Amino acid sequence: MPTKKRIMNAAGEIFGQDGFKAATIRKIATAAQANVAAINYHFRDKQGLYLAVLEDTFSKGFQRFPADGETDNDKGPEQRLRTFIHKMFYRFLSNEGWGGISGRGKLIAREFFEPTPAFENIVETYITPHKQMLVSIIAELSPDKADKDKQLACAISIIGQCVYYAFASPIIKRIAPAFMPTQQNLDRLADHVFLFSLGGIQQINNTDITTIDILETP
Amino acid sequence: MPTKKRIMNAAGEIFGQDGFKAATIRKIATAAQANVAAINYHFRDKQGLYLAVLEDTFSKGFQRFPADGETDNDKGPEQRLRTFIHKMFYRFLSNEGWGGISGRGKLIAREFFEPTPAFENIVETYITPHKQMLVSIIAELSPDKADKDKQLACAISIIGQCVYYAFASPIIKRIAPAFMPTQQNLDRLADHVFLFSLGGIQQINNTDITTIDILETP
Amino acid sequence: MPTKKRIMNAAGEIFGQDGFKAATIRKIATAAQANVAAINYHFRDKQGLYLAVLEDTFSKGFQRFPADGETDNDKGPEQRLRTFIHKMFYRFLSNEGWGGISGRGKLIAREFFEPTPAFENIVETYITPHKQMLVSIIAELSPDKADKDKQLACAISIIGQCVYYAFASPIIKRIAPAFMPTQQNLDRLADHVFLFSLGGIQQINNTDITTIDILETP
Amino acid sequence: MPTKKRIMNAAGEIFGQDGFKAATIRKIATAAQANVAAINYHFRDKQGLYLAVLEDTFSKGFQRFPADGETDNDKGPEQRLRTFIHKMFYRFLSNEGWGGISGRGKLIAREFFEPTPAFENIVETYITPHKQMLVSIIAELSPDKADKDKQLACAISIIGQCVYYAFASPIIKRIAPAFMPTQQNLDRLADHVFLFSLGGIQQINNTDITTIDILETP
DNA sequence: TATGAATGAGCCTTCATTCAT
DNA sequence: AATGAATGAAGGCTCATTCAT
């Protein structure tokens, strides 16, 4: 494998594990069995390497697991929601997600939390369209298709659940080991999120938010 | 304010913003208008400071917003779930959360993602009991109280939504600015999560998981 | 024991072991079960403490083991040389040497090697007279009492042997464990040095240095 | 001269003068006209530099002045002892000693006094064989070749004198300036030690230690 | 007399980067 | 395309000292 690719693979894992700042180019270079200076040669600087890895990750991720299966367009919204969620789980947690390099899910989750300048572009190119798709699926499941706010809120609830599995696996391991995401139970977890969210959407649609008596602030 | 307290306040914010590694004690000391050596004097080293802040954060957070309001015991499970979720939002996102020091929510969220050795103790003391409480509330809402797995899965879905707001505000700001958590809309967001989750729990309870035809892996 | 004395005792040992620079007042304070600031209070600064300990060490050492036993004046030069050497061993290596605090011999030896400003005064007050006494003993053993150079050279040879035992005990332990100076074999070691030196003096006196054919420089 | 070598030369001198702890890599780097980080690059850390210098010093020292001149084997033990002592003086005090770098004699002397972990290896590789050679020379000068204890004691007396000159030059300067070791009087000093020691060995051999009436402890 | 708190200076080390090859 | 050598900046930590009590 050429040096450049070896570096990118190692970088994806290490950036994901340690974060941009804590990761060192020396650690990456060692893991890639390359010279430290090679990184600067190929990617100009640390930031350049990070950018390259991030872009590569998203591009490969959405290429490998596109948000909408092509054949899904003629299916009902329920099935499309289910597919959408499964794909998200696969992108984040599958061994083949995000370019087939393990550890890259963490890289993404980290950008959600503390975005680098590199993220702006990613949001525009990948995330916004992806979100739109989810919102439109939810709209199809809703009687009042015009209530964008409700749909958006539901979208966030769904994404939140998915990301939590990629994001908080250390704590899940501690408080609910059976739900640690593994290659084996990915489908089961995704199906739970799917069902839970389906119920959630219906509940939101059936409730007039103003009917909730205001809770005394704690 | 005494130096020690000033340091802890500054540290909470900066550790939350930058993470343990990227945060520098110089930056903290400057923000606290204290000498760098004072940190060493009061907390032994950077790690000691971090530990102190983390412990203080949890202790203050659960003291200020205990998971169960005292008067809640005689209320129904729905109301208790609602309180539970609101309290979580307040703990993570209120100006008065986690000891009244802004920025500490991020500190916590970060520990979920990449726990430091300090976290082990926190999990045991605070998080596990907190999770137990949520599970038991869900159990009351479920006909089959013995199905611990379903309850645990629902608990994770609920916590995931809450944490996502504390965790992913940068991306929420970009794709759904109206849902950026602020002091003003905290209650509204919490109520959405409450309703969504109520629907989710019911759906999970009403569905036999085996009825879902297995999705072809994408 | 008053704080000041406790500090001096601890300081003697630690300065001897670690040297002036490497010794820290914190280590001394801890060993003395005193506050760090107490050192500055009693001795003004680190250097002041060192000076006090050094002066105290010499004064106590020569008080406890004066170079000439009072009753020795009527003895022959051989016996006086023997006493002189024994006293030196005791001063340097006995548990009761240098004020009865162990470790102070190292303190002295160190000053021989890298004298601090404090040493100038010590040389004048204690060491020069001490050396004069040794030279005059050697003179009595020499036929040509006027050859000060020979006597001085012999004095250095004698002192060198004595100091080596106090100075190089770590290496002696490694290459000749039986000759490690202990409380038990102090007299035996001193007697060896005495005999060896007696022979040395006689040889020097009996040889005309010019008779040695010049060695080709290696 | 390459940076690495410049650093080692500067380090030898400064470590010798100040000791390991008190020496600073900044001072060394400045003296070597190199960057502080270069030390880390070439020697990993301060300790690594020290180790390298120490090893280099001994290796070069014994290479330049091997303990036994090749042609000495057919000479008598007296001449061999004389050579041995001269070589020691040259190694410790000659400008060309210890690799031709001034100040390294102090480095060695310091290790005798307070050995660092690095010294263990040096003792084994260089010092023990060196001592063995001296002992065997002394044995040849002794009628009772089996009395190893006497020979060892004499060896220590000889080494003690030599080391004292390398070790205690500051005090020699004060109490006997004429005997300060310089490049000019090295041979003269060595010859004195040789003669003195010759007499010492003979005296030790001729005296039954038990004939000495036990000295009353002072 | 003695101490806890706080400080400024300095040290070792690490890091990303550059340069000559 | 790739590397070993070297650098400047910055970071965590330690230390002797001072000050208010």
Side-chain angles (χ1 to χ4, degrees):
Chain A
M1 204 180 347
T3 303
K4 189 166 179 177
K5 186 158 189 151
R6 288 205 317 277
I7 291 174
M8 285 189 73
N9 286 351
E13 196 138 358
I14 291 170
F15 276 135
Q17 260 163 27
D18 299 348
F20 178 76
K21 184 68 187 298
T24 75
I25 61 170
R26 244 172 199 77
K27 192 174 174 186
I28 293 169
T30 304
Q33 289 186 292
N35 188 285
V36 214
I39 291 179
N40 292 80
Y41 175 75
H42 284 289
F43 302 94
R44 191 186 153 89
D45 60 10
K46 190 187 183 184
Q47 178 114 329
L49 170 58
Y50 185 78
L51 221 121
V53 171
L54 198 66
E55 168 61 35
D56 179 72
T57 299
F58 266 91
S59 122
K60 291 245 181 66
F62 276 93
Q63 203 173 312
R64 177 75 183 79
F65 299 104
D68 53 339
E70 288 130 4
T71 57
D72 271 0
N73 288 329
D74 50 356
K75 301 239 174 88
E78 295 200 2
Q79 181 59 31
R80 291 180 64 207
L81 178 62
R82 196 178 172 207
T83 303
F84 184 96
I85 292 171
H86 275 259
K87 292 278 181 65
M88 249 194 121
F89 267 84
Y90 270 79
R91 243 181 262 118
F92 269 112
L93 294 163
S94 147
N95 276 346
E96 302 185 7
W98 304 120
I101 317 298
S102 78
R104 291 206 173 178
K106 286 229 152 190
L107 190 71
I108 308 297
R110 198 180 284 275
E111 281 288 339
F112 280 44
F113 185 29
E114 35 185 3
T116 65
F119 200 50
E120 223 60 54
N121 187 37
I122 302 287
V123 170
E124 217 174 299
T125 313
Y126 298 104
I127 297 182
T128 302
H130 190 242
K131 174 209 68 174
Q132 289 297 3
M133 181 179 310
L134 178 55
V135 168
S136 68
I137 293 174
I138 296 169
E140 289 184 54
L141 288 164
S142 308
D144 181 2
K145 293 185 174 33
D147 195 342
K148 290 293 171 202
D149 261 11
K150 277 190 177 175
Q151 293 154 23
L152 210 44
C154 289
I156 293 176
S157 281
I158 292 169
I159 293 174
Q161 292 174 76
C162 296
V163 170
Y164 191 69
Y165 278 101
F167 160 76
S169 60
I171 196 173
I172 292 178
K173 182 161 81 181
R174 283 174 176 81
I175 65 172
F179 291 85
M180 259 292 279
T182 66
Q183 300 305 307
Q184 282 71 45
N185 65 5
L186 236 49
D187 284 314
R188 191 166 59 87
L189 298 177
D191 268 336
H192 161 77
V193 171
F194 163 60
L195 275 181
F196 188 93
S197 301
L198 205 57
I201 292 168
Q202 286 158 357
Q203 179 78 325
I204 293 292
N205 284 330
N206 295 337
T207 312
D208 184 354
I209 194 80
T210 60
T211 64
I212 306 186
D213 39 319
I214 293 307
L215 188 86
E216 69 280 15
T217 44
Chain B
M1 206 178 349
T3 303
K4 189 168 180 178
K5 189 160 189 153
R6 287 204 319 276
I7 292 175
M8 286 188 72
N9 286 352
E13 196 138 359
I14 290 171
F15 276 136
Q17 261 164 28
D18 301 348
F20 178 77
K21 185 69 183 298
T24 75
I25 62 170
R26 264 171 182 76
K27 191 175 175 184
I28 293 171
T30 304
Q33 287 185 291
N35 190 286
V36 209
I39 291 180
N40 205 270
Y41 175 73
H42 285 289
F43 303 95
R44 192 184 162 90
D45 59 9
K46 192 186 180 185
Q47 177 124 322
L49 170 57
Y50 185 78
L51 220 124
V53 171
L54 198 65
E55 169 59 38
D56 179 72
T57 298
F58 267 91
S59 129
K60 291 245 181 67
F62 276 93
Q63 202 173 313
R64 176 75 184 77
F65 299 105
D68 53 339
E70 288 132 7
T71 57
D72 272 1
N73 287 329
D74 49 357
K75 300 234 175 92
E78 295 201 2
Q79 179 59 30
R80 291 180 65 205
L81 177 61
R82 197 177 169 209
T83 302
F84 185 96
I85 291 171
H86 274 260
K87 291 278 182 64
M88 248 193 123
F89 267 84
Y90 270 82
R91 241 182 262 116
F92 269 112
L93 293 164
S94 146
N95 275 345
E96 302 184 9
W98 303 122
I101 320 301
S102 77
R104 291 204 171 178
K106 287 228 151 189
L107 190 71
I108 308 295
R110 199 179 282 276
E111 281 288 340
F112 279 44
F113 187 29
E114 37 186 3
T116 65
F119 200 50
E120 221 60 55
N121 188 36
I122 301 286
V123 169
E124 215 175 300
T125 314
Y126 298 104
I127 296 181
T128 301
H130 190 243
K131 174 210 67 174
Q132 288 297 2
M133 181 180 311
L134 178 56
V135 167
S136 69
I137 292 173
I138 295 169
E140 288 183 56
L141 289 164
S142 308
D144 181 2
K145 291 181 176 37
D147 193 340
K148 290 292 171 204
D149 261 11
K150 278 189 176 175
Q151 294 153 24
L152 211 43
C154 289
I156 293 177
S157 281
I158 292 168
I159 293 174
Q161 293 174 75
C162 295
V163 170
Y164 190 70
Y165 277 101
F167 159 75
S169 59
I171 196 173
I172 292 178
K173 183 161 77 182
R174 283 174 177 81
I175 66 173
F179 291 86
M180 261 291 283
T182 66
Q183 300 304 307
Q184 282 70 45
N185 65 5
L186 236 49
D187 284 312
R188 191 165 59 89
L189 298 177
D191 269 333
H192 161 76
V193 170
F194 163 60
L195 276 181
F196 189 93
S197 301
L198 203 58
I201 294 168
Q202 284 159 359
Q203 178 79 325
I204 293 292
N205 282 331
N206 294 338
T207 313
D208 185 354
I209 193 80
T210 59
T211 64
I212 306 185
D213 38 320
I214 293 306
L215 189 85
E216 69 282 14
T217 45
Chain C
M1 205 178 348
T3 302
K4 189 167 179 176
K5 187 161 190 149
R6 288 204 318 276
I7 291 175
M8 286 189 71
N9 287 351
E13 196 137 359
I14 290 170
F15 276 135
Q17 260 162 28
D18 300 348
F20 178 77
K21 183 68 188 297
T24 74
I25 60 170
R26 245 173 198 76
K27 192 174 175 186
I28 293 170
T30 304
Q33 289 185 292
N35 188 285
V36 215
I39 291 179
N40 292 79
Y41 175 75
H42 284 289
F43 302 94
R44 190 185 153 89
D45 60 10
K46 191 186 182 185
Q47 178 113 329
L49 170 59
Y50 184 78
L51 221 123
V53 172
L54 198 67
E55 168 59 37
D56 178 71
T57 300
F58 265 91
S59 121
K60 291 245 181 66
F62 276 93
Q63 202 173 313
R64 177 75 183 78
F65 299 104
D68 53 339
E70 288 129 5
T71 58
D72 270 0
N73 287 329
D74 50 356
K75 302 237 173 88
E78 294 201 3
Q79 181 61 29
R80 290 180 64 206
L81 177 62
R82 197 179 173 206
T83 304
F84 185 95
I85 291 171
H86 274 260
K87 291 277 180 68
M88 249 194 121
F89 267 85
Y90 271 81
R91 243 181 262 117
F92 268 113
L93 295 163
S94 146
N95 276 345
E96 301 185 9
W98 304 120
I101 317 299
S102 79
R104 291 206 174 177
K106 287 229 152 190
L107 190 70
I108 308 298
R110 197 180 284 274
E111 282 288 339
F112 281 44
F113 185 30
E114 37 186 2
T116 65
F119 199 50
E120 222 60 53
N121 187 37
I122 302 286
V123 169
E124 216 175 299
T125 313
Y126 298 104
I127 297 182
T128 302
H130 190 243
K131 173 209 67 174
Q132 289 297 3
M133 181 179 310
L134 178 56
V135 168
S136 69
I137 293 174
I138 296 169
E140 289 184 54
L141 288 165
S142 308
D144 180 1
K145 291 182 177 35
D147 194 342
K148 290 293 172 201
D149 261 11
K150 278 189 177 175
Q151 293 153 23
L152 211 43
C154 289
I156 292 176
S157 281
I158 292 168
I159 293 173
Q161 292 173 76
C162 296
V163 170
Y164 191 69
Y165 277 101
F167 161 75
S169 58
I171 197 174
I172 292 177
K173 182 160 80 181
R174 282 174 177 80
I175 65 172
F179 290 87
M180 259 292 280
T182 66
Q183 299 306 306
Q184 282 71 46
N185 65 5
L186 236 49
D187 284 314
R188 191 165 60 87
L189 298 177
D191 269 334
H192 161 77
V193 171
F194 163 61
L195 275 180
F196 188 93
S197 300
L198 205 56
I201 291 167
Q202 285 159 358
Q203 179 79 326
I204 293 293
N205 283 331
N206 294 338
T207 312
D208 184 355
I209 192 80
T210 60
T211 63
I212 307 186
D213 39 320
I214 293 306
L215 189 85
E216 69 281 14
T217 45
Chain D
M1 204 177 351
T3 303
K4 189 169 180 176
K5 188 160 190 153
R6 288 204 319 276
I7 292 174
M8 286 188 72
N9 287 352
E13 195 137 0
I14 291 171
F15 276 136
Q17 261 164 27
D18 301 348
F20 178 77
K21 185 69 183 295
T24 75
I25 62 169
R26 259 171 186 70
K27 193 175 174 185
I28 293 171
T30 304
Q33 288 185 290
N35 189 286
V36 212
I39 291 180
N40 205 268
Y41 175 73
H42 285 289
F43 303 96
R44 191 183 163 90
D45 59 8
K46 192 186 180 184
Q47 176 125 320
L49 170 58
Y50 184 78
L51 220 125
V53 171
L54 198 66
E55 169 58 39
D56 178 71
T57 298
F58 267 91
S59 129
K60 290 245 180 67
F62 276 92
Q63 202 173 311
R64 176 75 184 76
F65 299 104
D68 54 340
E70 289 131 4
T71 58
D72 272 1
N73 288 330
D74 50 356
K75 301 237 174 89
E78 295 201 3
Q79 180 60 30
R80 290 180 67 206
L81 177 62
R82 198 179 169 207
T83 302
F84 185 96
I85 291 171
H86 274 259
K87 290 277 181 67
M88 245 191 126
F89 267 84
Y90 270 81
R91 242 182 262 116
F92 268 112
L93 293 163
S94 146
N95 276 345
E96 301 183 10
W98 303 122
I101 320 301
S102 78
R104 291 204 172 179
K106 287 228 149 189
L107 190 71
I108 309 294
R110 199 179 283 275
E111 280 288 341
F112 279 45
F113 186 30
E114 37 186 2
T116 65
F119 200 50
E120 222 60 54
N121 189 35
I122 301 286
V123 169
E124 217 175 300
T125 313
Y126 298 105
I127 296 183
T128 302
H130 190 243
K131 174 209 67 174
Q132 289 296 4
M133 180 178 311
L134 178 56
V135 167
S136 70
I137 292 173
I138 295 170
E140 288 184 55
L141 289 165
S142 308
D144 180 1
K145 291 183 176 33
D147 194 341
K148 291 291 171 203
D149 261 10
K150 277 188 178 176
Q151 293 154 22
L152 210 44
C154 289
I156 293 176
S157 281
I158 292 168
I159 292 173
Q161 292 173 76
C162 295
V163 170
Y164 191 69
Y165 277 101
F167 159 74
S169 59
I171 196 173
I172 292 178
K173 182 160 78 180
R174 284 174 176 81
I175 65 173
F179 290 85
M180 261 291 283
T182 66
Q183 300 303 307
Q184 282 70 46
N185 65 3
L186 236 48
D187 285 313
R188 191 165 60 88
L189 299 177
D191 268 335
H192 161 76
V193 171
F194 162 59
L195 276 181
F196 188 94
S197 300
L198 204 57
I201 293 169
Q202 285 158 358
Q203 177 79 325
I204 293 291
N205 283 330
N206 293 338
T207 312
D208 185 354
I209 194 80
T210 59
T211 64
I212 306 186
D213 39 321
I214 293 305
L215 188 85
E216 70 281 14
T217 45

